[in-house]
Amino acid sequence: MLGIKRLGLLAALVLVGVAPAAAAQAAVQPSQQDTQYLQAVHQVNLFEITAGDLAQQKGQNQGVKDLGARLKTDHTQLDQTVQQTASQLGVELPSEPTADQQSVIDQLNNASGEEFDRLWVTSELAGHVQAIQATQTEISQGSEQSVVQLAQTALPTLQAHYDALVQLAEQLGIPVPQTSASGTPSPGGTTPAPGGTTETPAPGGTTESPAPGGTVETPAPAQS
């Protein structure tokens, strides 16, 4: 009986020791990099869904309409994963695009015809450069595995979008962002990340907290 009592006491002590450890593990928060990436890519998705709708409604070129529909579908699906991951990690997501993204949406709402097509393609090119850079940064610097995996899944989609945008820009005679020495395409010769600014307001504008995605050496999508 004494042996049984001792075993019971030992078990109780083990449980007492495990409980704080489990609580401490549950309290671990995602890093600033992971949090900012989730918030930034969510805002990119909000912008892309709205811009995709506008492309379908206002695009003069059929290629703009078709690519707008594709981007809306892909970014809607991506955002479902973003929201699920953020919820699991207790990360609060913004409810609307950034101020710069909203500025582009306003410009698109006020444009029409060929002007709309050129503005849409130009802003999409710049925005996808930024989104790709932010995603590459998360892959290389993120610490929460679920967020890193999300970025790894998103990168090929973002690269495919960029390639399609380059092809469309070439068809319409729209200047394509130049490629920097590191191989990363950069609008106007600069490489701002989501949270930076560009000469043409692009998705991923200034946010209250610095967004992820500085210049990286990993090559971005090859232009075709």
Side-chain angles (χ1 to χ4, degrees):
M1 291 295 294
L2 183 58
I4 293 176
K5 288 181 179 179
R6 286 179 175 175
L7 286 174
L9 179 60
L10 179 61
L13 289 173
V14 169
L15 289 174
V16 169
V18 168
Q25 184 176 4
V28 172
Q29 297 297 313
S31 69
Q32 184 180 33
Q33 163 64 36
D34 296 325
T35 297
Q36 290 179 345
Y37 177 71
L38 286 172
Q39 293 171 340
V41 76
H42 175 61
Q43 289 180 303
V44 167
N45 292 333
L46 293 178
F47 172 88
E48 292 297 340
I49 292 167
T50 301
D53 269 337
L54 290 173
Q56 291 175 272
Q57 296 168 15
K58 304 184 66 174
Q60 175 175 286
N61 181 275
Q62 188 60 44
V64 171
K65 291 179 177 289
D66 292 344
L67 188 53
R70 174 183 170 185
L71 266 58
K72 177 185 176 182
T73 297
D74 290 350
H75 281 277
T76 297
Q77 294 175 348
L78 174 59
D79 204 53
Q80 292 174 353
T81 305
V82 171
Q83 292 187 52
Q84 181 180 6
T85 304
S87 177
Q88 292 171 347
L89 297 176
V91 173
E92 185 175 353
L93 296 176
S95 59
E96 57 189 17
T98 67
D100 282 359
Q101 290 169 335
Q102 187 58 52
S103 175
V104 176
I105 290 171
D106 292 342
Q107 292 178 51
L108 290 170
N109 275 317
N110 292 327
S112 60
E114 183 180 348
E115 178 190 5
F116 174 89
D117 288 352
R118 294 181 68 86
L119 177 60
W120 187 84
V121 173
T122 300
S123 62
E124 287 291 342
L125 282 167
H128 275 78
V129 167
Q130 296 174 356
I132 288 169
Q133 290 176 336
T135 301
Q136 290 171 329
T137 298
E138 173 60 28
I139 292 171
S140 63
Q141 299 180 15
S143 55
E144 171 57 48
Q145 190 58 34
S146 62
V147 184
V148 173
Q149 288 177 345
L150 185 155
Q152 290 172 333
T153 300
L155 185 57
T157 298
L158 295 172
Q159 290 178 329
H161 289 174
Y162 180 83
D163 290 342
L165 285 162
V166 168
Q167 292 178 1
L168 183 57
E170 290 174 345
Q171 292 171 11
L172 298 177
I174 297 172
V176 175
Q178 298 300 308
T179 303
S180 68
S182 66
T184 303
S186 53
T190 58
T191 53
T197 56
T198 59
E199 294 179 4
T200 300
T206 303
T207 56
E208 294 181 1
S209 58
T215 302
V216 291
E217 295 301 321
T218 306
Q223 298 179 7
S224 57

